[in-house]
Amino acid sequence: MAEEVLFNIAGDIIKKLGSGVLQQIGLWWGVNDELEKLKSTLTTIQAVLLDAEEKSALNNQVKLWLGKLKEVVYDADDLLDDFSTEALRRQVMGGNKVSKEVCLFFSPSNRIVYGYKVGHKIKAIRERLDAIAKGRQDYPLDLLERFREAPLLSRGRDQTISYVGEEEVIGREDDRKAIVDLLLHSTTEDNVSVFPIVGMGGLGKTTLAQYVYNDEKVKTHFDLKLGSWILVTTRSEMVAKITGTLPHYPLEGLALDKSWSLFKKIVFKGEEPKSPNVKPIGEQIIKKCGGVPLAIKTIASILYFKETEGEWLRFLQDDLSNIAQNENGILPTLKLSYDHLSPHLKYCFAYCALFPKNYEIDVKTLIHQWIAHGFIELSNKSACIEDSGIEYFMDLCWRSFFQNVKRDGFGNIQSCTMHDLMHDLATLVAGKEISIMNSKEKSVDERVRHLKLDFRLDSSDIIPVVLSIPKKLRSFILPHQEFYDHDAIRIFSNFKQLRVCGMQDCRMTEVSNSIESLKHLRYLDVSKNSEIKALQILLQTYRICKC
């Protein structure tokens, strides 16, 4: 994702290089020495990455240095994945052991030849890293201590978490009464009246509109009266003037006492803190949130895990000291909550920039894609990875990264959306690595690793579009297309690093054999392709409903 996640990616690779499984594989193919050298080089570079990430915001040379480093780190990750996949492939091969060894010895993929090839690839990557490491001598980089990341809720302070549900609105009772009163006593004769609610992002305009809609007085009144009312929420007074048939209602930030009520609901389960010194610090913290409920909730989710006065004071003086809340200033406050996430939760959240704004996300699909990319870290070997994925989702949901969660009749999570400001944050932290391509774009940035096509391709467009896309894609989502089977072959054969491929409702009749060359592919969505008869490939996850 963005440069700041590079530290975590490098850390994951170092962890893989130190694993017993990879060391055994390295011993089998005679490349352990090269793997150890690669680990040493990466460890040296990782030590100064946090400082480099901070300085890259002001120093373009450092930013370029990080960009070069990121490309090599991703290549190293791909190579290790290829390495592990090849080992797994050999484990599951059938046949007599002796005859298999003889066959493999004379094949291009025998262990001596393969080990020789892999050894050269590892060495090439290490030499690229060494060259980049020498380049950092031009920039004085220091060792920095990173944020103390908040644990997952299920592994955190306790198991009784206080959620503020979307149906539970805190601090907006006066606004609700005022709007209801305006609606009930309006003398307008229009058959359809439009009433705008105007305010900055994160104030809860949509939540308030729903709160008004569910008011019993409103329901009773408009059941008895001909004519309709439309509540419009917007940040722009100009939009309100154009669309509204009545003067707009200006929504302000919460007062300090209301802000504190919302804050303590999350941090202290609605009670006052036990220490009398904590509340004054807490009030100073929430003043920085400017009465914006979304900011208050995200900051509260950080403070929930800080138990001492000293931790609260350091958060106020260090983390919040340079943030002033205003119309454009809420994003830095929201980013603080992101900064305190664990590395894997950061991956999961940033990946959501792949979905358009206001998109209803299928949570099961999202979790399977997280799994395919290796974003989910199991708490123990016996844990179910899908259950861990749900834990990750609920954690992000509790921190207000997701909203509007829908469940089925059995209580299972089905879908969710993201607040548009949270989507802005996901886009910010994802940087150039995630892109949604529209029909006006002629090419894609070479740094893109996750891509979604947001338009329908003509068959004549397939080749030029595919050729314009970087070959190192890890995710490619292109739903609702109209492909011939040979079009799919072109796609599968061009992107060898794919982990996730979504070809939903693409009029396909079969899945090409060329997909077998995608060693890294773990998730394939070919749902709503009703002509597909069978799939004969082994993957981690298929999605083939309505086929």
Side-chain angles (χ1 to χ4, degrees):
M1 306 300 168
E3 279 77 7
E4 61 194 32
V5 182
L6 186 57
F7 179 92
N8 302 321
I9 299 172
D12 283 347
I13 295 175
I14 292 168
K15 190 184 295 184
K16 290 177 186 176
L17 288 167
S19 70
V21 173
L22 202 63
Q23 287 176 357
Q24 286 180 354
I25 297 170
L27 187 64
W28 174 255
W29 276 313
V31 294
N32 254 1
D33 286 346
E34 285 298 334
L35 289 175
E36 278 300 318
K37 291 175 184 177
L38 178 61
K39 180 182 175 183
S40 176
T41 302
L42 265 176
T43 302
T44 302
I45 292 175
Q46 191 201 27
V48 296
L49 271 181
L50 291 178
D51 190 36
E53 287 158 3
E54 280 195 8
K55 289 177 177 173
S56 67
L58 301 174
N59 189 321
N60 197 50
Q61 286 185 313
V62 175
K63 189 172 185 177
L64 290 172
W65 179 80
L66 280 173
K68 293 176 183 177
L69 176 61
K70 187 190 297 184
E71 288 299 311
V72 186
V73 168
Y74 269 124
D75 287 346
D77 191 36
D78 286 337
L79 180 59
L80 290 183
D81 198 16
D82 191 32
F83 198 29
S84 301
T85 302
E86 179 66 15
L88 180 62
R89 185 184 71 82
R90 289 167 184 262
Q91 285 179 9
V92 300
M93 285 178 67
N96 177 271
K97 183 177 180 181
V98 175
S99 62
K100 182 175 70 177
E101 288 293 334
V102 172
C103 180
L104 284 174
F105 184 84
F106 289 103
S107 74
S109 61
N110 72 73
R111 75 173 185 174
I112 298 174
V113 174
Y114 186 79
Y116 180 78
K117 288 180 179 178
V118 169
H120 272 277
K121 289 180 180 179
I122 295 172
K123 183 179 180 181
I125 285 176
R126 180 176 56 78
E127 288 175 348
R128 288 166 65 194
L129 283 171
D130 285 338
I132 291 171
K134 289 178 182 176
R136 78 175 178 85
Q137 295 172 2
D138 298 332
Y139 328 109
L141 300 176
D142 303 316
L143 295 172
L144 289 184
E145 195 173 326
R146 65 181 304 149
F147 280 117
R148 196 186 82 177
E149 297 143 357
L152 279 173
L153 291 178
S154 59
R155 306 165 205 169
R157 198 170 75 181
D158 60 38
Q159 298 294 319
T160 55
I161 305 300
S162 180
Y163 287 86
V164 178
E166 289 151 16
E167 72 285 350
E168 185 178 356
V169 183
I170 295 176
R172 291 301 185 194
E173 184 62 22
D174 292 342
D175 294 299
R176 181 191 64 81
K177 288 179 179 178
I179 294 174
V180 168
D181 188 62
L182 287 169
L183 292 177
L184 297 184
H185 296 92
S186 171
T187 58
T188 181
E189 298 297 327
D190 296 331
N191 287 331
V192 178
S193 300
V194 180
F195 183 73
I197 301 174
V198 179
M200 66 180 287
L203 282 177
K205 299 182 293 295
T206 303
T207 302
L208 176 59
Q210 190 67 45
Y211 194 22
V212 170
Y213 175 81
N214 290 329
D215 186 276
E216 287 301 324
K217 292 180 181 178
V218 171
K219 288 182 177 180
T220 303
H221 179 79
F222 288 105
D223 281 344
L224 298 174
K225 180 181 176 181
L226 293 175
S228 301
W229 281 89
I230 299 174
L231 288 175
V232 173
T233 63
T234 177
R235 300 180 195 177
S236 168
E237 289 189 10
M238 181 61 69
V239 171
K241 289 177 181 178
I242 294 171
T243 60
T245 60
L246 285 175
H248 68 268
Y249 183 85
L251 188 62
E252 304 293 338
L254 295 177
L256 182 60
D257 61 329
K258 303 294 185 184
S259 297
W260 177 253
S261 295
L262 176 58
F263 181 82
K264 73 178 182 180
K265 174 72 177 177
I266 297 170
V267 182
F268 304 112
K269 306 183 182 72
E271 300 178 0
E272 292 294 330
K274 294 178 181 178
S275 170
N277 298 326
V278 166
K279 184 172 181 178
I281 301 172
E283 288 180 336
Q284 290 183 65
I285 289 172
I286 60 177
K287 282 179 183 177
K288 292 281 189 178
C289 297
V292 179
L294 183 61
I296 294 168
K297 288 191 283 187
T298 57
I299 293 300
S301 71
I302 300 173
L303 272 299
Y304 175 84
F305 294 99
K306 299 184 184 298
E307 300 183 6
T308 67
E309 294 174 26
E311 288 179 298
W312 281 51
L313 200 56
R314 282 193 295 274
F315 180 80
L316 173 64
Q317 294 174 345
D318 297 340
D319 297 351
L320 279 176
S321 59
N322 296 318
I323 294 178
Q325 209 50 246
N326 52 50
E327 180 78 26
N328 300 313
I330 186 175
L331 212 56
T333 303
L334 299 183
K335 189 174 180 297
L336 271 180
S337 185
Y338 168 83
D339 290 336
H340 282 76
L341 293 176
S342 68
H344 291 272
L345 281 178
K346 286 181 177 178
Y347 299 155
C348 291
F349 171 68
Y351 184 76
C352 295
L354 194 59
F355 301 97
K357 277 191 176 183
N358 303 314
Y359 184 84
E360 187 169 353
I361 301 170
D362 183 285
V363 173
K364 188 174 182 180
T365 296
L366 176 63
I367 290 173
H368 281 152
Q369 291 182 13
W370 285 348
I371 293 170
H373 285 295
F375 295 162
I376 306 296
E377 186 177 45
L378 290 177
S379 55
N380 59 72
K381 292 181 179 179
S382 62
C384 170
I385 195 164
E386 284 84 2
D387 290 344
S388 295
I390 292 172
E391 280 185 19
Y392 277 41
F393 173 80
M394 292 305 298
D395 195 306
L396 289 169
C397 191
W398 179 74
R399 298 172 197 270
S400 299
F401 289 104
F402 296 119
Q403 63 180 18
N404 299 329
V405 176
K406 293 182 180 178
R407 298 175 181 266
D408 63 19
F410 299 98
N412 300 310
I413 297 169
Q414 288 187 306
S415 66
C416 68
T417 62
M418 297 176 72
H419 191 284
D420 57 355
L421 286 174
M422 283 301 185
H423 191 278
D424 290 343
L425 177 60
T427 302
L428 172 69
V429 298
K432 297 291 185 181
E433 293 188 29
I434 293 180
S435 179
I436 300 176
M437 185 180 185
N438 60 49
S439 59
K440 296 179 181 178
E441 294 177 273
K442 301 299 182 184
S443 62
V444 179
D445 192 293
E446 62 181 11
R447 291 167 288 183
V448 169
R449 299 278 175 165
H450 309 275
L451 178 67
K452 179 173 183 175
L453 292 191
D454 202 26
F455 64 100
R456 185 181 286 273
L457 286 168
D458 293 327
S459 187
S460 60
D461 294 331
I462 295 290
I463 292 179
V465 168
V466 167
L467 291 177
S468 73
I469 295 172
K471 290 182 171 54
K472 293 183 179 180
L473 281 186
R474 292 185 168 206
S475 304
F476 195 17
I477 311 295
L478 55 167
H480 315 301
Q481 305 295 333
E482 191 164 351
F483 287 155
Y484 295 106
D485 291 331
H486 60 265
D487 294 328
I489 293 174
R490 292 169 185 159
I491 292 169
F492 291 141
S493 61
N494 213 50
F495 306 111
K496 301 296 186 183
Q497 311 301 332
L498 278 184
R499 271 79 168 165
V500 169
C501 184
M503 304 184 75
Q504 182 187 51
D505 188 22
C506 289
R507 311 287 179 88
M508 297 166 60
T509 61
E510 64 179 17
V511 176
S512 164
N513 290 335
S514 62
I515 200 172
E516 294 180 0
S517 66
L518 304 181
K519 290 184 178 181
H520 305 278
L521 188 66
R522 300 185 181 101
Y523 176 92
L524 176 65
D525 183 353
V526 289
S527 59
K528 299 182 181 178
N529 288 285
S530 58
E531 298 298 317
I532 290 181
K533 303 301 181 186
L535 289 172
Q536 297 183 353
I537 52 174
L538 180 63
L539 291 178
Q540 189 179 71
T541 304
Y542 296 108
R543 191 162 186 260
I544 54 176
C545 61
K546 298 183 181 179
C547 286

